[in-house]
Amino acid sequence: MHASGPSRRVVLGGAAAAAAVTVVPSFQGRAEAAATPAYRWRTAVIGGTGFVTGVLFHPSARGLAYARTDIGGAYRWDERSARWTPLNDDLGWDDWNLLGVEAMAVDPAHPDRVYLALGTYAQPWAGNGAVLRSENRGATWTRTDLAVKLGGNEDGRGTGERLLVDPRDSDTLWLGTRHDGLLKSTDRGATWAAATGFPGAPTSSGQGVTLLVAAGRTLYAGWGDSEGTAANLYRTSDGTTWEAVPAQPSGTSAKVPIRAAYDCHTRELYVTYADAPGPNGQSDGSVHKLATTSGTWTDVTPVKPGGTTSEGSADTFGYGGVAVDARRPGTVVVSTNNRWAAVDTLYRTTNGGRTWTSLKDSAVLDISETPFLTFGADEPKFGWWIQALALDPYDSKHVVYGTGATLYGTRDLKHWAPQIRGLEETSVRQLISPPTGEAHLLSGLGDIGVMYHERLTASPARGMASNPVFGSATGLAQAAARPSYVVRTGFGDHGNGAFSHDGGKSWAPFAAQPALAKDAPGPIATNSDGSVLLWTFVHWDGTKYPAQRSTDNGVTWAEAAGYPKGATPLADPADPTRFYAYDTDTGTLFASTDGGRTFGGRASGLPSGDSQFQLTAAPGRSGDLWLSTKTNGLYRSTDGGATFTKLTSCRASHTLAFGKAAPGSDHPAIYMVGATETITAVYRSDDGAKSWVRVNDDRHQWGWIGATIAADPRVYGRVYIATNGRGIQYGEPV
């Protein structure tokens, strides 16, 4: 799963010191001018949809587990309700980079303690990481901001936990970083400093410490960078002196230690390896075990990569997750990773790795709760990107593993189903709330295309929109006066554009598409009666191309003259001859009055320089345009873009939507992600943007929410929020 978000200027501290300590409960209050009305916030159910990078059962508390994701925060498992509870929804706009979880740790001696290492990107433009610590299983947190960067959504995000509570002393914690070596805390994560004696030197390659694991009282650290050292596994028995583990495996198949697990009964440490950190790019790997008392290594790899499948394809892959059975000595489960030809699997041994059984071979998958997992195929795959793997210490047949889209669980080693309730990690790109029809919501999503939400409380029964199937959606539009007609665009192997005549229930591909659509499919618009399509094209590298126009439902296409390259098209909701486009490069509004055939410039001198500026049209009114220019504010035009007036009721506006009017009001309710004073939040106006009231609260912020929002035209007060890693959140007055 890939995340996006606003860049943020940060002040960097010392190489490995903690910068500040702030108490941040999950419901922390902040000053705000307008009172927050009572709103109930829920998640529109899809079911997972993102990369779960780690699952961790507590070793001494039955039924307690935690999961981490690459862009959507961490979760706690509640065995009684069989649901995951999100733990980081209180992180707000300025903390968007902390929604990627690099690592998590529990204290075996104190079941209520849990720790998170947060930081999505380790790039220069991203903010520094932070460590959260909780004494009540994540209900509230205390935060320490770090002076180093973490990479919860970087390559290697599915490797072992880089955070560890020292088994000899609960006050001592260890944190492995990507660029800054090993950090140590002696006050339960309140302050951090560089660990003395650790041989892994700071590096620029971005892997550093890949795992930390305790084997009895000895600590082991995996090292993912080959710069300056041939060793990739180190250990310490006293917390001060580190050494390379003798006779450790070497070669391409053991280049990067991915994960490790210790069997305390046999005193053997199992380590999975690959030739790259993953989750992509692995073609070789192995599994080895170390007898910690004798120092003897044994290669216990279930199947060597490099053969061929029955279809003749190269069977290349690495190894990922590993878990030991706390109740049965010598019982271990490992996963393959990046095995696209033969499909990834789990291997299980009950005799210390002498023989293995593939659990995929006898698996029965039940995805009825989340039908999208077929991804348009006849049957779902057992998995891919399997690096998260956990075995319940109280139930030897309860195994959980993560994929790029869900968590599968079993209670009998044969029947598997998504164990995903409450965990939603979708990166949301487009939202539409139709004025009529069965569904109140259509969504365009990263990685899993477009969905038709018959209900908000269950995963869409039709799964992903097919014919064609998309990976990530890039455009979604509905004809304002003919809502049964919907179009969508995105990245697909069998077409990049499609239309629907039944409001998004079923789809058919455009009969033809411009050549640019395959590699650079961008947003699309349809005029109010659905007779004209306008499709723009933007390559992933930022290159912009002319827009194409169709008047025959995608049979033929022709260039729209005068259209600003790469701009997002907007149809007038009342006049089918009018289209608009805002050129963010020049700060100019372009308009067409001939059905998108030609465009000309109108208002100019408006804010420019940011491709995320958004143009919105008020429903049912021709030429009533609203321009959100982020921290430059909100502008309005009532003459089709000839002139704009800046509104003084808000300081910043990132995205805007219109919904059903309040009782007694003659203006649709307006919803905005923006700021009236200092806090970027979700606001509603019932008086045409003269005044605003905040509708979300400090427990419900979800990091960066600047992509899009939608408001329900049939239910007053209901607003849908597109998050970048926490799915679709929706709220309505209590």
Side-chain angles (χ1 to χ4, degrees):
M1 174 71 70
H2 298 283
S4 59
S7 59
R8 173 177 160 203
R9 184 177 181 273
V10 295
V11 178
L12 304 184
V21 179
T22 307
V23 176
V24 185
S26 61
F27 49 84
Q28 177 191 7
R30 296 180 176 90
E32 180 59 31
T36 301
Y39 252 65
R40 181 185 182 187
W41 289 97
R42 288 173 285 184
T43 305
V45 175
I46 301 175
T49 72
F51 187 27
V52 179
T53 52
V55 177
L56 183 63
F57 280 101
H58 198 284
S60 57
R62 183 187 293 269
L64 177 61
Y66 297 90
R68 60 176 166 98
T69 67
D70 54 2
I71 62 171
Y75 294 78
R76 182 185 63 247
W77 176 253
D78 183 350
E79 182 73 16
R80 286 175 295 181
S81 63
R83 292 185 63 83
W84 295 96
T85 298
L87 301 178
N88 302 122
D89 284 356
D90 62 303
L91 291 171
W93 182 273
D94 291 337
D95 287 324
W96 69 268
N97 190 53
L98 299 183
L99 264 293
V101 186
E102 180 81 287
M104 55 189 176
V106 296
D107 187 339
H110 300 275
D112 291 339
R113 292 180 185 173
V114 60
Y115 302 87
L116 300 177
L118 307 180
T120 308
Y121 296 107
Q123 305 303 316
W125 44 261
N128 290 342
V131 172
L132 300 186
R133 56 195 190 276
S134 174
E135 299 281 348
N136 52 18
R137 304 188 181 190
T140 59
W141 297 98
T142 302
R143 169 173 160 179
T144 292
D145 290 319
L146 301 172
V148 303
K149 298 178 186 299
L150 304 180
N153 196 36
E154 302 271 6
D155 285 348
R157 57 194 182 274
T159 60
E161 299 306 333
R162 292 174 163 96
L163 187 62
L164 179 69
V165 176
D166 195 310
R168 300 162 300 188
D169 178 10
S170 290
D171 289 344
T172 298
L173 274 71
W174 303 84
L175 173 62
T177 72
R178 293 170 176 268
H179 298 285
D180 299 278
L182 183 65
L183 307 185
K184 182 179 181 181
S185 172
T186 58
D187 53 12
R188 297 215 310 271
T191 60
W192 294 85
T196 58
F198 185 73
T203 175
S204 61
S205 59
Q207 291 307 312
V209 178
T210 61
L211 64 88
L212 293 169
V213 65
R217 298 176 64 83
T218 300
L219 308 183
Y220 289 81
W223 185 250
D225 295 317
S226 58
E227 297 177 10
T229 178
N232 58 28
L233 193 66
Y234 297 95
R235 69 185 178 192
T236 181
S237 57
D238 60 9
T240 301
T241 304
W242 290 83
E243 65 172 355
V245 178
Q248 60 186 267
S250 61
T252 303
S253 66
K255 183 178 180 181
V256 181
I258 303 298
R259 287 181 173 266
Y262 181 61
D263 188 332
C264 62
H265 301 289
T266 64
R267 299 185 181 180
E268 292 172 323
L269 181 71
Y270 291 82
V271 185
T272 57
Y273 291 91
D275 59 343
N280 282 321
Q282 296 176 341
S283 59
D284 199 1
S286 60
V287 182
H288 295 260
K289 71 175 181 179
L290 170 66
T292 59
T293 54
S294 67
T296 301
W297 283 92
T298 304
D299 186 340
V300 293
T301 307
V303 174
K304 300 287 186 182
T308 57
T309 66
S310 58
E311 292 80 18
S313 302
D315 190 18
T316 59
F317 56 92
Y319 279 90
V322 56
V324 300
D325 192 327
R327 294 179 172 272
R328 298 183 178 182
T331 298
V332 185
V333 182
V334 300
S335 72
T336 64
N337 186 67
N338 206 47
R339 194 181 193 181
W340 294 104
V343 182
D344 278 304
T345 186
L346 304 184
Y347 289 106
R348 181 174 182 263
T349 180
T350 58
N351 54 21
R354 290 192 297 275
T355 59
W356 297 84
T357 300
S358 171
L359 297 182
K360 178 184 70 174
D361 296 345
S362 60
V364 178
L365 297 180
D366 177 5
I367 62 161
S368 56
E369 192 168 315
T370 50
F372 76 89
L373 286 171
T374 62
F375 286 87
D378 293 333
E379 298 291 337
K381 290 183 178 180
F382 187 77
W384 71 101
W385 282 14
I386 304 179
Q387 292 187 298
L389 173 63
L391 205 164
D392 190 335
Y394 290 89
D395 183 350
S396 296
K397 293 185 178 181
H398 183 196
V399 180
V400 179
Y401 70 93
T403 76
T406 193
L407 281 175
Y408 280 112
T410 183
R411 300 282 181 165
D412 62 4
L413 302 180
K414 179 179 180 180
H415 296 88
W416 302 80
Q419 190 171 317
I420 205 72
R421 292 180 186 175
L423 197 159
E424 300 285 349
E425 203 203 343
T426 322
S427 176
V428 185
R429 311 293 178 81
Q430 299 93 23
L431 293 173
I432 291 175
S433 185
T436 60
E438 176 187 16
H440 279 253
L441 184 66
L442 305 177
S443 61
L445 311 167
D447 298 333
I448 58 169
V450 169
M451 290 196 175
Y452 178 92
H453 302 260
E454 309 95 330
R455 299 161 55 197
L456 299 175
T457 55
S459 186
R462 292 171 177 81
M464 297 169 57
S466 57
N467 195 25
V469 169
F470 290 164
S472 292
T474 57
L476 183 63
Q478 185 173 46
R482 185 185 158 201
S484 61
Y485 183 71
V486 188
V487 289
R488 61 184 173 94
T489 55
F491 289 93
D493 293 334
H494 303 285
N496 302 86
F499 65 91
S500 172
H501 285 305
D502 55 14
K505 290 183 182 180
S506 61
W507 298 85
F510 295 145
Q513 65 180 32
L516 289 167
K518 181 173 178 57
D519 296 320
I524 194 169
T526 179
N527 64 346
S528 59
D529 63 10
S531 62
V532 180
L533 302 177
L534 201 61
W535 193 355
T536 60
F537 305 93
V538 181
H539 195 268
W540 63 268
D541 64 4
T543 305
K544 303 174 182 179
Y545 300 95
Q548 298 282 318
R549 174 179 179 267
S550 177
T551 57
D552 52 16
N553 198 36
V555 176
T556 60
W557 298 86
E559 185 173 326
Y563 190 92
K565 291 182 179 180
T568 299
L570 176 69
D572 190 282
D575 186 344
T577 68
R578 293 193 181 192
F579 283 93
Y580 310 97
Y582 187 68
D583 185 359
T584 59
D585 291 334
T586 64
T588 303
L589 189 285
F590 285 78
S592 170
T593 57
D594 57 7
R597 186 175 291 105
T598 61
F599 281 79
R602 293 196 172 182
S604 60
L606 294 162
S608 62
D610 195 319
S611 62
Q612 293 179 347
F613 291 168
Q614 295 185 16
L615 186 67
T616 310
R621 307 181 186 195
S622 183
D624 190 352
L625 306 179
W626 298 68
L627 179 62
S628 297
T629 63
K630 301 176 76 170
T631 55
N632 295 292
L634 178 63
Y635 294 77
R636 184 185 183 187
S637 172
T638 56
D639 53 14
T643 60
F644 278 85
T645 300
K646 186 174 183 179
L647 279 67
T648 60
S649 60
C650 63
R651 180 185 61 81
S653 178
H654 297 271
T655 183
L656 198 77
F658 295 87
K660 184 176 181 179
S665 175
D666 60 356
H667 197 287
I670 309 174
Y671 300 83
M672 176 182 71
V673 174
T676 58
E677 294 182 359
T678 59
I679 299 173
T680 302
V682 185
Y683 294 87
R684 188 188 75 220
S685 174
D686 294 331
D687 57 10
K690 295 182 180 66
S691 62
W692 300 89
V693 60
R694 184 183 177 190
V695 296
N696 72 322
D697 55 61
D698 289 333
R699 291 177 298 173
H700 302 93
Q701 300 197 78
W702 319 289
W704 185 70
I705 51 175
T708 188
I709 59 174
D712 202 305
R714 291 176 273 178
V715 180
Y716 167 68
R718 182 187 289 176
V719 58
Y720 305 92
I721 309 297
T723 76
N724 189 52
R726 274 290 288 123
I728 304 165
Q729 304 292 327
Y730 69 101
E732 49 197 356
V734 175

Coordinates of all heavy atoms in Angstrom, one line a residue, residues 519-561:
D519 N -0.7 4.1 -19.4 CA 0.4 4.4 -18.5 C 0.1 5.7 -17.7 O 0.8 6.0 -16.7 CB 1.7 4.6 -19.2 CG 2.2 3.3 -19.9 OD1 2.0 2.3 -19.2 OD2 2.6 3.4 -21.0
A520 N -0.9 6.5 -18.1 CA -1.1 7.8 -17.4 C -2.6 8.1 -17.2 O -3.0 9.2 -17.5 CB -0.4 8.9 -18.2
P521 N -3.4 7.1 -16.8 CA -4.8 7.4 -16.6 C -5.0 8.4 -15.5 O -4.6 8.2 -14.4 CB -5.4 6.0 -16.3 CG -4.3 5.3 -15.6 CD -3.0 5.8 -16.3
G522 N -5.7 9.5 -15.8 CA -6.0 10.5 -14.8 C -7.5 10.6 -14.5 O -8.3 9.7 -14.9
P523 N -7.9 11.7 -13.9 CA -9.3 11.9 -13.6 C -10.2 12.0 -14.8 O -9.7 12.4 -15.9 CB -9.3 13.3 -12.8 CG -7.9 13.5 -12.4 CD -7.0 12.8 -13.4
I524 N -11.5 11.8 -14.7 CA -12.4 11.9 -15.7 C -13.7 12.6 -15.2 O -13.9 12.7 -14.0 CB -12.8 10.5 -16.2 CG1 -13.6 10.5 -17.6 CG2 -13.6 9.7 -15.2 CD1 -13.8 9.2 -18.2
A525 N -14.4 13.3 -16.2 CA -15.6 14.0 -15.8 C -16.7 13.6 -16.9 O -16.3 13.3 -18.0 CB -15.4 15.5 -15.7
T526 N -17.9 13.7 -16.5 CA -19.0 13.6 -17.5 C -20.0 14.7 -17.2 O -20.2 15.2 -16.1 CB -19.7 12.2 -17.3 OG1 -20.8 12.2 -18.3 CG2 -20.3 12.0 -15.9
N527 N -20.5 15.3 -18.3 CA -21.4 16.4 -18.1 C -22.7 16.0 -17.5 O -22.9 14.8 -17.3 CB -21.6 17.2 -19.5 CG -22.3 16.3 -20.5 OD1 -22.4 15.1 -20.4 ND2 -22.8 16.9 -21.6
S528 N -23.6 16.9 -17.3 CA -24.7 16.7 -16.4 C -25.7 15.6 -17.0 O -26.4 14.9 -16.3 CB -25.5 18.0 -16.1 OG -25.9 18.6 -17.3
D529 N -25.8 15.5 -18.3 CA -26.7 14.5 -18.9 C -25.9 13.3 -19.4 O -26.5 12.4 -20.0 CB -27.5 15.1 -20.1 CG -26.7 15.6 -21.2 OD1 -25.4 15.3 -21.3 OD2 -27.2 16.3 -22.1
G530 N -24.6 13.2 -19.2 CA -23.8 12.0 -19.5 C -23.5 11.9 -21.0 O -23.1 10.8 -21.4
S531 N -23.7 12.9 -21.8 CA -23.4 12.8 -23.2 C -22.0 13.1 -23.6 O -21.6 12.8 -24.8 CB -24.4 13.8 -24.0 OG -24.1 15.2 -23.6
V532 N -21.2 13.7 -22.7 CA -19.8 14.0 -23.0 C -18.9 13.6 -21.9 O -19.2 13.7 -20.7 CB -19.6 15.6 -23.2 CG1 -18.2 15.9 -23.5 CG2 -20.6 16.1 -24.3
L533 N -17.8 13.0 -22.3 CA -16.7 12.6 -21.4 C -15.5 13.4 -21.6 O -15.2 13.7 -22.7 CB -16.4 11.1 -21.5 CG -17.5 10.1 -21.4 CD1 -17.0 8.7 -21.7 CD2 -18.1 10.1 -20.0
L534 N -14.8 13.8 -20.5 CA -13.6 14.5 -20.6 C -12.6 13.8 -19.7 O -12.8 13.7 -18.5 CB -13.8 16.0 -20.1 CG -12.8 17.0 -20.6 CD1 -12.7 17.1 -22.1 CD2 -13.1 18.4 -20.0
W535 N -11.5 13.3 -20.3 CA -10.5 12.5 -19.6 C -9.1 13.1 -19.7 O -8.7 13.5 -20.8 CB -10.5 11.1 -20.3 CG -9.8 10.0 -19.5 CD1 -9.1 10.1 -18.3 CD2 -9.7 8.6 -19.9 NE1 -8.6 8.9 -17.9 CE2 -9.0 8.0 -18.9 CE3 -10.2 7.9 -20.9 CZ2 -8.7 6.6 -18.9 CZ3 -10.0 6.5 -21.0 CH2 -9.2 5.9 -20.0
T536 N -8.5 13.3 -18.5 CA -7.1 13.9 -18.5 C -6.1 12.8 -18.2 O -6.4 11.7 -17.6 CB -7.0 15.0 -17.5 OG1 -7.3 14.5 -16.2 CG2 -8.0 16.1 -17.8
F537 N -4.8 13.1 -18.5 CA -3.8 12.1 -18.3 C -2.6 12.7 -17.7 O -2.0 13.7 -18.1 CB -3.4 11.6 -19.7 CG -4.6 11.0 -20.5 CD1 -5.3 11.9 -21.3 CD2 -5.1 9.8 -20.2 CE1 -6.5 11.4 -22.0 CE2 -6.2 9.3 -20.9 CZ -6.9 10.1 -21.7
V538 N -2.1 12.0 -16.6 CA -1.0 12.5 -15.8 C -0.1 11.2 -15.5 O -0.6 10.3 -14.9 CB -1.4 13.2 -14.5 CG1 -0.1 13.6 -13.8 CG2 -2.3 14.4 -14.8
H539 N 1.1 11.2 -16.0 CA 2.0 10.1 -15.7 C 2.4 10.1 -14.2 O 2.4 11.2 -13.6 CB 3.2 10.2 -16.6 CG 4.0 8.9 -16.7 ND1 5.1 8.6 -15.9 CD2 3.9 7.8 -17.5 CE1 5.6 7.5 -16.2 NE2 4.8 6.9 -17.2
W540 N 2.8 8.9 -13.7 CA 3.3 8.8 -12.3 C 4.4 9.8 -12.0 O 4.7 10.2 -10.9 CB 3.6 7.4 -12.0 CG 4.8 6.8 -12.8 CD1 4.7 6.1 -13.9 CD2 6.1 6.9 -12.4 NE1 6.0 5.8 -14.4 CE2 6.9 6.3 -13.4 CE3 6.9 7.5 -11.4 CZ2 8.3 6.2 -13.4 CZ3 8.2 7.4 -11.4 CH2 8.9 6.7 -12.4
D541 N 5.3 10.1 -13.1 CA 6.4 11.0 -12.8 C 6.0 12.4 -12.9 O 6.9 13.3 -12.8 CB 7.5 10.7 -13.8 CG 7.1 11.0 -15.3 OD1 6.0 11.5 -15.5 OD2 7.9 10.7 -16.2
G542 N 4.7 12.7 -13.1 CA 4.3 14.1 -13.0 C 4.1 14.7 -14.4 O 3.6 15.9 -14.5
T543 N 4.5 14.0 -15.5 CA 4.3 14.6 -16.8 C 2.8 14.7 -17.1 O 2.0 13.7 -16.9 CB 5.0 13.7 -17.9 OG1 6.4 13.5 -17.5 CG2 4.9 14.3 -19.3
K544 N 2.4 15.8 -17.7 CA 1.0 16.1 -18.0 C 0.7 16.1 -19.5 O 1.6 16.5 -20.2 CB 0.6 17.4 -17.4 CG 0.8 17.5 -15.9 CD 0.5 19.0 -15.4 CE 0.8 19.1 -13.9 NZ 0.5 20.5 -13.4
Y545 N -0.5 15.7 -19.9 CA -0.8 15.5 -21.3 C -2.1 16.2 -21.6 O -2.9 16.4 -20.6 CB -0.9 14.1 -21.7 CG 0.4 13.3 -21.5 CD1 0.7 12.6 -20.3 CD2 1.5 13.3 -22.4 CE1 1.9 11.9 -20.1 CE2 2.6 12.7 -22.2 CZ 2.8 12.0 -21.0 OH 4.0 11.3 -20.8
P546 N -2.4 16.5 -22.8 CA -3.7 17.1 -23.2 C -4.9 16.2 -22.9 O -4.8 15.0 -22.9 CB -3.6 17.3 -24.7 CG -2.1 17.3 -25.0 CD -1.5 16.4 -24.0
A547 N -6.0 16.8 -22.6 CA -7.2 16.0 -22.3 C -7.9 15.5 -23.6 O -7.7 16.1 -24.6 CB -8.2 16.9 -21.5
Q548 N -8.6 14.4 -23.4 CA -9.3 13.8 -24.5 C -10.8 13.9 -24.3 O -11.3 13.7 -23.1 CB -8.9 12.4 -24.8 CG -7.4 12.3 -25.1 CD -7.1 12.6 -26.6 OE1 -7.9 12.3 -27.5 NE2 -6.0 13.4 -26.8
R549 N -11.6 14.0 -25.3 CA -13.1 14.2 -25.2 C -13.8 13.1 -26.0 O -13.3 12.8 -27.1 CB -13.4 15.6 -25.7 CG -14.9 15.9 -25.8 CD -15.1 17.4 -26.3 NE -16.5 17.7 -26.4 CZ -17.2 17.6 -27.5 NH1 -16.6 17.2 -28.6 NH2 -18.4 18.0 -27.6
S550 N -14.9 12.6 -25.5 CA -15.7 11.6 -26.2 C -17.1 12.0 -26.1 O -17.6 12.4 -25.1 CB -15.5 10.2 -25.7 OG -16.3 9.3 -26.3
T551 N -17.9 11.9 -27.3 CA -19.3 12.2 -27.3 C -20.1 10.9 -27.6 O -21.3 11.0 -27.8 CB -19.6 13.3 -28.3 OG1 -19.2 12.9 -29.6 CG2 -19.0 14.6 -27.9
D552 N -19.4 9.8 -27.6 CA -20.1 8.5 -28.0 C -19.8 7.4 -26.9 O -19.6 6.3 -27.3 CB -19.7 8.1 -29.4 CG -18.2 8.0 -29.6 OD1 -17.5 8.0 -28.6 OD2 -17.8 8.0 -30.8
N553 N -19.7 7.8 -25.7 CA -19.5 6.9 -24.6 C -18.2 6.1 -24.7 O -18.1 4.9 -24.4 CB -20.7 5.9 -24.5 CG -20.8 5.2 -23.1 OD1 -20.5 5.8 -22.1 ND2 -21.2 4.0 -23.1
G554 N -17.1 6.8 -25.2 CA -15.8 6.2 -25.2 C -15.5 5.3 -26.5 O -14.6 4.6 -26.4
V555 N -16.3 5.5 -27.5 CA -16.0 4.8 -28.8 C -14.9 5.5 -29.5 O -13.9 4.9 -30.0 CB -17.2 4.7 -29.7 CG1 -16.9 4.0 -31.0 CG2 -18.3 3.9 -28.9
T556 N -15.0 6.8 -29.5 CA -13.9 7.6 -30.2 C -13.5 8.8 -29.2 O -14.3 9.2 -28.4 CB -14.4 8.2 -31.5 OG1 -15.5 9.1 -31.3 CG2 -14.7 7.1 -32.5
W557 N -12.3 9.3 -29.4 CA -11.7 10.3 -28.6 C -11.0 11.4 -29.4 O -10.4 11.0 -30.4 CB -10.8 9.8 -27.5 CG -11.4 8.8 -26.6 CD1 -11.5 7.4 -26.8 CD2 -11.9 9.0 -25.3 NE1 -12.2 6.8 -25.7 CE2 -12.4 7.8 -24.8 CE3 -12.1 10.2 -24.5 CZ2 -13.0 7.7 -23.5 CZ3 -12.7 10.1 -23.3 CH2 -13.1 8.9 -22.8
A558 N -11.1 12.6 -29.0 CA -10.4 13.7 -29.7 C -9.9 14.7 -28.6 O -10.5 14.9 -27.6 CB -11.3 14.4 -30.7
E559 N -8.8 15.4 -29.0 CA -8.2 16.3 -28.0 C -9.1 17.5 -27.8 O -9.7 18.1 -28.7 CB -6.9 16.8 -28.5 CG -6.1 17.6 -27.5 CD -4.7 17.9 -28.0 OE1 -4.1 17.1 -28.6 OE2 -4.2 19.1 -27.7
A560 N -9.2 17.9 -26.5 CA -10.0 19.1 -26.2 C -9.1 20.3 -26.3 O -8.1 20.5 -25.6 CB -10.5 19.0 -24.7
A561 N -9.4 21.2 -27.2 CA -8.6 22.4 -27.6 C -8.5 23.4 -26.4 O -9.6 23.7 -25.9 CB -9.1 23.0 -28.9

